[in-house]
Amino acid sequence: MCIHGFKSSWKMVTSGVPQGSVLGPVLFLIFINDLDSHLVTSLLKFADDSKPFGKVNNDSDRDVIQQDLHSRVEWSDKWQMPAFNTEKCKVMHLGKQNKKFDYYMNNQKLDVANEEKDLGALFTDDLKPNSQCRQAYGKASKVLGMISWTISYKTPTVLLKLYKTLVRPHLEYCIPVLLEGQSLA
């Protein structure tokens, strides 16, 4: 790279992508683009997170998901990218009729989660928004308290602007996701 006549020096990179580089995120996405090839289950990818999911009605369905988990570990080993921290990997069983099978990665049983935060939204195994609503209410209440204690000039115009700017975003965050979850439950 050359900026104002000054060239940056070359740096040897044996694996991975230099953190903080301009092209790092793009190169990473190109690198992991084939993570879901040859898999039967679906996979959601966002930045460095991946979430496999599928419908499990019987042992055969469970075996498919387990095989896909093994395939992801093999992909990680093949490309010399220790991508899956099994301590952070969790299983969430959805549905009342779910048989709640166990799943493994690297011969380690994955923990089961009843509640998990993803991109700021709180998901529960019953897909009800109660926890997310409680969390939003708590944050909004704290902000309202802060406004009450710190703002002395409380005209309706000022209070409305503060509410729309500081309180309302906490109450409205992830509402479309929660409403979609309600229709699935």
Side-chain angles (χ1 to χ4, degrees):
M1 178 186 297
C2 184
I3 298 176
H4 302 295
F6 293 99
K7 292 183 180 179
S8 60
S9 60
W10 287 94
K11 181 172 176 127
M12 180 62 117
V13 178
T14 57
S15 69
V17 176
Q19 192 167 2
S21 67
V22 175
L23 289 176
V26 174
L27 293 173
F28 180 76
L29 290 174
I30 291 169
F31 188 75
I32 68 161
N33 193 44
D34 69 335
L35 177 62
D36 54 354
S37 61
H38 309 298
L39 299 179
V40 178
T41 56
S42 299
L43 181 70
L44 296 174
K45 293 186 283 188
F46 181 78
D48 64 345
D49 285 340
S50 62
K51 291 170 189 58
F53 64 95
K55 193 171 188 176
V56 180
N57 291 322
N58 52 45
D59 289 343
S60 176
D61 293 340
R62 179 201 41 114
D63 292 342
V64 167
I65 289 182
Q66 185 59 63
Q67 180 55 46
D68 280 354
L69 289 172
H70 287 307
S71 294
R72 287 181 181 100
V73 171
E74 288 171 4
W75 177 92
S76 174
D77 293 340
K78 174 185 173 185
W79 292 105
Q80 300 173 1
M81 185 174 157
F84 303 106
N85 181 349
T86 53
E87 299 291 322
K88 291 182 178 180
C89 294
K90 294 186 174 61
V91 175
M92 184 177 286
H93 300 288
L94 304 176
K96 293 178 183 177
Q97 304 300 320
N98 195 304
K99 296 185 181 181
K100 301 186 180 187
F101 290 112
D102 292 330
Y103 296 95
Y104 298 83
M105 285 182 85
N106 289 331
N107 296 320
Q108 183 177 343
K109 182 179 169 189
L110 299 179
D111 292 333
V112 175
N114 298 326
E115 183 176 279
E116 194 67 30
K117 188 176 250 188
D118 186 29
L119 299 176
L122 198 56
F123 293 93
T124 59
D125 55 3
D126 61 4
L127 292 177
K128 293 187 178 174
N130 302 2
S131 297
Q132 175 72 27
C133 291
R134 264 193 304 278
Q135 184 181 41
Y137 167 77
K139 287 180 181 179
S141 292
K142 286 179 183 176
V143 173
L144 282 171
M146 185 262 316
I147 289 170
S148 173
W149 284 96
T150 59
I151 305 299
S152 57
Y153 188 70
K154 297 179 184 172
T155 66
T157 305
V158 168
L159 288 175
L160 184 60
K161 284 182 182 179
L162 287 170
Y163 176 81
K164 286 182 178 179
T165 306
L166 301 174
V167 178
R168 193 168 160 184
H170 291 294
L171 298 174
E172 292 179 348
Y173 187 73
C174 297
I175 292 299
V177 172
L178 297 172
L179 294 174
E180 182 64 28
Q182 276 297 107
S183 68
L184 294 174

